[in-house]
């Protein structure tokens, strides 16, 4: 789910205590959060240790770690997990690099800059389902513009990109990059405005080339935002659903079956609530570990970057 | 800084390439939506329809209950936006003005919720809503969207509260206004643009949302636009391309309008936040 990283809270004047009446201000939001968000999360963890199924008449039983043992041996799950990683890295990395280049570009004084910034919002505003449908039309074997363009320039004679075993995942990744780039660009652009222009100009006067200025002035200032947005993008991409559901439904032959699609099928097609909940737990745990490694690594090796 | 001509040419080429990459799927969507069946069946598709028609739009409305779905989407999104902002604003106020344990916990929750494992939440939520008989109901979906919109609503609103100088509130207090009076007559009016921006943003995210709607809404007369759109794609992935494109285009319009209105605020807000941080 994509959400704007809006204004980081500024330090305003803070008073020591909430005083009376604060509870009355907080409860309207707190109760729904506890009942519909924190509660279900805890309930979900409990469910992972049961044999809960949809539409079954016998009572749900506590089965300990059995779901987790089954998961460890479920090759389909590990396959979807591997695809999820390939997809998340395959989308996040190009997304970041393209967005960085674009943000640097849009930070220059160019004509069309305003237009480009305004247009950058379009993919962000579109429902993911529409993005998926739109790209299906582009990829469509006969009526699609991609194959027609390739034919025009003499490259190949029409492929069914989304149903090809080898092409499906790359084709879906391109869409993921397209869909998420604007938001990353806007965030990085915000970071760029943060880099002190005087430093940049001083470095230029000292004869530093563009690359050196980027490395010594721009990047150090941009790094915190870049790290945060990359970590968030990675999580969002790993948890992606709608785009791929519309593009391929996980096919062909499970080649694009991301973990969320797998979990969705287990839970709502086969009714395996307990098993799917266990899968959710494993996904969260593994993603947290990966992110921790990534963040710790980046923060440690930070000074030379 | 002076930039060489070669560098300029490179920059404009890159910018142009980016604009093409950004625009071409969208232009193709519009082109497809305007083509009559005969042209859609042609083996050599063209960018500009030779025989543009609006038939696809009419057919889209005939094939699927689009109006019904749009009104469901509108209720779900508007309901979620209004409720989320109404209940988030007071909490955001407390979070912005007081450093309490609660405020910190809420701040932490906002961050963690960005990584929320939806699978882990949706199954229990499904069971809870089922017990409340709120499955396959738009109000049930509104409840879910409210909670889903709360983290970023809080995040945005805390920023807007902090932009209101506390001195103004203190001055009102000195003049003898009570706490509630101060909030209503001093703080709230100053925050009005922020409240509106937050609500619009929540509206768009809910309007576009698919996963929860897919799981919670079972029958076509309750489903929202994104779910109904997938019905245009048949079981074997065969789709009636023209009406599909037309319906998809229509579903995007409200979000595009809202984003066009919000554009300055979204980029501007992010820029301001980053600069003043």
């Amino acid at each position: 789910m994509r959400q704007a990283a809006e204004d980081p809270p500024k330090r305003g004047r803070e008073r020591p205590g909430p005083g009376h009446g604060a509870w009355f201000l907080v409860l309207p939001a707190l109760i729904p959060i506890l009942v519909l968000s924190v509660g279900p999360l805890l309930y979900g963890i409990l469910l992972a240790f049961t044999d809960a199924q949809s539409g079954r008449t016998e009572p749900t039983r506590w089965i300990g770690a059995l779901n987790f043992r089954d998961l460890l041996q479920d090759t389909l799950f590990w396959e979807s997990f591997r695809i999820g990683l390939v997809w998340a890295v395959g989308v996040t990395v190009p997304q970041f690099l393209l967005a960085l280049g674009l943000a640097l570009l849009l930070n220059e004084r160019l004509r069309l800059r305003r237009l480009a910034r305004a247009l950058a919002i379009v993919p962000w505003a579109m429902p993911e389902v529409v993005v998926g449908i739109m790209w299906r039309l582009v990829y469509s074997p006969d009526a699609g513009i991609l194959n027609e363009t390739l034919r025009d320039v003499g490259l190949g004679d029409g492929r069914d990109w989304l149903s090809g075993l080898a092409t499906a995942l790359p084709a879906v990744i391109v869409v993921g990059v397209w869909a998420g780039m604007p938001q990353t660009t806007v965030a990085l652009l915000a970071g760029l405005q943060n880099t002190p222009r005087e430093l940049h100009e001083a470095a230029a006067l000292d004869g530093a080339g563009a690359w050196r200025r980027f490395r010594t002035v721009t990047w150090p200032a941009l790094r915190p935002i870049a790290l945060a947005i990359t970590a968030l993008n990675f999580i969002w991409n790993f948890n992606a659903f709608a785009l791929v559901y519309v593009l391929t439904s996980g096919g062909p032959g499970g080649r694009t079956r991301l973990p969320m699609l797998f979990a969705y099928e287990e839970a709502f097609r086969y009714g395996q609530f307990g098993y799917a909940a266990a899968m959710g737990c494993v996904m969260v745990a593994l993603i947290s570990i990966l992110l921790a490694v990534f963040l710790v690594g980046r923060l440690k090796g930070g000074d030379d970057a | 800084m002076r930039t060489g001509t070669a560098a300029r040419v490179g920059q404009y080429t890159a910018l142009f390439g980016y604009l093409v990459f950004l625009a071409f799927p969208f232009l193709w969507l519009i082109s497809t939506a305007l083509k009559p069946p005969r042209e859609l069946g042609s083996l050599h598709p063209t960018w500009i329809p030779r025989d543009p028609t609006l038939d696809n739009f009419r057919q889209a409305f005939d094939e699927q209950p689009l109006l019904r779905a749009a009104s469901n989407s509108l209720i779900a999104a508007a309901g979620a936006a209004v409720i989320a902002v109404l209940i988030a604003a007071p909490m955001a106020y407390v979070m912005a003005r007081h450093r309490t344990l609660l405020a910190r916990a809420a701040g932490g929750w906002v961050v963690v919720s960005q990584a929320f494992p939806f699978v882990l939440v949706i199954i229990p939520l499904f069971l809870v809503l089922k017990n409340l008989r709120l499955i396959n109901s738009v109000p049930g979906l509104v409840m879910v969207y409210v909670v889903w919109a709360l983290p970023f609503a809080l995040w945005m609103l805390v920023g807007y509260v902090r932009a209101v100088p506390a001195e103004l509130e203190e001055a009102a207090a000195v003049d003898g206004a009570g706490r509630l009076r101060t909030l209503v007559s001093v703080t709230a009016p100053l925050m009005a643009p922020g409240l509106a921006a937050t609500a619009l943003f929540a509206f768009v995210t809910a309007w576009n949302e698919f996963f929860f709607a897919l799981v919670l809404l079972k029958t076509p007369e309750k489903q929202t636009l994104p779910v109904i759109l997938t019905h245009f794609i048949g079981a074997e992935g065969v789709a009636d391309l023209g009406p599909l494109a037309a319906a998809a285009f229509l579903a995007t319009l409200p979000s595009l309008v809202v984003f066009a209105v919000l554009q300055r605020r979204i980029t501007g807000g992010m820029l301001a936040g980053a600069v003043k941080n």
Side-chain angles (χ1 to χ4, degrees):
Chain A
M1 312 281 137
R2 302 191 172 275
Q3 291 161 7
E6 267 283 344
D7 307 342
K10 281 166 283 180
R11 201 149 298 257
R13 170 157 322 184
E14 282 150 0
R15 294 171 209 157
H20 312 292
W23 281 103
F24 144 81
L25 293 174
V26 167
L27 283 181
L30 197 60
I31 291 172
I33 288 172
L34 290 177
V35 174
L36 288 169
S37 178
V38 179
L41 190 65
L42 299 175
Y43 186 8
I45 295 171
L46 278 182
L47 274 177
F49 296 93
T50 69
D51 63 352
Q53 285 174 21
S54 76
R56 202 179 52 165
T57 44
E58 311 127 62
T60 296
R61 281 176 312 148
W62 185 265
I63 56 168
L66 208 62
N67 283 328
F68 292 93
R69 222 186 56 198
D70 288 349
L71 262 184
L72 285 177
Q73 292 160 357
D74 189 338
T75 50
L76 282 178
F77 168 68
W78 289 107
E79 179 60 10
S80 85
F81 197 81
R82 189 189 66 80
I83 293 169
L85 281 183
V86 172
W87 149 270
V89 173
V91 173
T92 307
V93 172
Q95 205 169 61
F96 175 76
L97 294 177
L98 286 173
L100 180 63
L102 190 62
L104 289 169
L105 201 62
L106 293 182
N107 201 34
E108 297 277 323
R109 298 190 181 90
L110 296 176
R111 277 159 219 277
L112 292 178
R113 182 173 72 161
R114 272 171 195 285
L115 175 72
R117 282 194 193 184
L119 278 179
I121 300 286
V122 173
W124 192 358
M126 294 184 101
E128 279 181 287
V129 168
V130 173
V131 174
I133 287 171
M134 196 170 73
W135 278 88
R136 276 183 75 129
L137 298 175
V138 169
Y139 281 134
S140 163
D142 296 322
I145 194 64
L146 182 65
N147 279 334
E148 183 59 18
T149 311
L150 289 177
R151 261 179 244 132
D152 283 349
V153 296
L155 279 174
D157 191 38
R159 262 168 190 280
D160 197 348
W161 298 95
L162 292 172
S163 350
L165 287 181
T167 55
L169 190 55
V172 175
I173 285 176
V174 169
V175 184
V177 172
W178 185 90
M181 218 171 71
Q183 203 182 351
T184 313
T185 307
V186 172
L188 290 174
L189 198 55
L192 281 179
Q193 314 267 308
N194 199 18
T195 64
R197 225 164 237 289
E198 308 83 56
L199 265 181
H200 224 277
E201 276 155 17
L205 281 179
D206 288 346
W211 169 242
R212 259 198 76 155
R213 286 201 305 267
F214 174 76
R215 250 196 40 186
T216 55
V217 181
T218 313
W219 181 244
L222 199 58
R223 228 173 118 256
I225 289 189
L227 274 185
I229 194 82
T230 307
L232 276 178
N233 275 344
F234 182 82
I235 301 175
W236 286 332
N237 287 327
F238 189 80
N239 288 334
F241 179 80
L243 211 56
V244 177
Y245 180 88
V246 173
L247 280 166
T248 61
S249 308
R255 290 299 159 100
T256 60
R257 195 192 281 131
L258 302 180
M260 274 292 281
L261 279 117
F262 187 74
Y264 166 79
E265 283 178 3
E266 282 297 324
F268 297 101
R269 187 166 297 167
Y270 308 119
Q272 301 294 334
F273 284 161
Y275 195 59
M279 194 176 308
C281 291
V282 172
M283 276 170 67
V284 178
L286 290 176
I287 283 298
S288 313
I289 294 169
L290 280 173
L291 268 181
V293 170
F294 168 77
L295 285 177
V296 167
R298 294 310 308 244
L299 290 177
K300 268 190 185 163
D303 295 331
D304 54 359
Chain B
M1 267 163 290
R2 293 258 152 260
T3 313
T5 317
R8 275 281 180 238
V9 171
Q11 284 175 340
Y12 278 108
T13 313
L15 192 63
F16 181 73
Y18 164 69
L19 288 177
V20 169
F21 179 55
L22 203 64
F24 95 93
F26 195 59
L27 294 177
W28 187 245
L29 177 74
I30 296 170
S31 165
T32 308
L34 294 174
K35 280 179 184 167
R38 189 168 29 80
E39 276 187 61
L40 286 170
S42 144
L43 271 177
H44 290 283
T46 49
W47 272 105
I48 298 169
R50 282 187 214 98
D51 234 343
T53 167
L54 291 176
D55 276 0
N56 289 323
F57 289 89
R58 218 198 40 224
Q59 210 184 322
F61 281 96
D62 288 345
E63 276 178 32
Q64 296 292 337
L66 284 186
L67 277 180
R68 178 93 236 183
S71 96
N72 289 340
S73 280
L74 188 69
I75 295 168
V82 170
I83 297 173
V85 168
L86 281 182
I87 65 177
M91 183 161 179
Y93 180 80
V94 173
M95 283 170 69
R97 292 286 192 241
H98 306 286
R99 291 233 125 201
T100 59
L101 185 66
L102 185 76
R104 272 171 224 224
W109 174 78
V110 167
V111 174
V112 170
S113 67
Q114 288 297 301
F116 245 46
F118 293 112
V119 221
L120 208 49
V121 178
I122 190 67
I123 299 165
L125 210 48
F126 181 86
L127 294 173
V128 170
L129 291 176
K130 199 170 163 185
N131 285 329
L132 295 172
R133 298 190 177 280
L134 283 170
I135 292 289
N136 200 29
S137 93
V138 178
L141 190 67
V142 170
M143 285 169 64
V144 175
Y145 284 173
V146 166
V147 176
W148 182 61
L150 274 175
F152 73 85
L154 281 172
W155 184 245
M156 283 173 84
L157 289 171
V158 166
Y160 288 118
V161 174
R162 293 204 169 161
V164 176
E167 289 82 5
L168 286 180
E169 288 169 13
E170 279 154 18
V174 170
D175 287 348
R179 182 191 195 99
L180 201 63
R181 176 85 196 277
T182 310
L183 277 181
V184 171
S185 59
V186 177
T187 319
L190 287 171
M191 282 186 60
L195 292 171
T198 310
L200 283 176
F201 201 76
F203 177 88
V204 171
T205 27
W207 177 274
N208 292 351
E209 205 282 331
F210 178 64
F211 182 61
F212 292 133
L214 176 73
V215 171
L216 296 177
L217 304 173
K218 295 295 164 204
T219 56
E221 64 267 22
K222 299 285 184 195
Q223 283 167 341
T224 55
L225 262 183
V227 183
I228 288 291
L229 284 182
T230 62
H231 294 338
F232 280 99
I233 305 166
E236 275 84 45
V238 190
D240 208 347
L241 297 182
L244 173 70
F249 176 74
L250 288 179
T252 310
L253 283 183
S255 332
L256 278 182
V257 171
V258 171
F259 257 66
V261 172
L262 274 187
Q263 199 229 340
R264 226 151 258 248
R265 241 160 214 297
I266 290 168
T267 45
M270 286 176 90
L271 297 180
V275 173
K276 288 176 195 151
N277 196 16

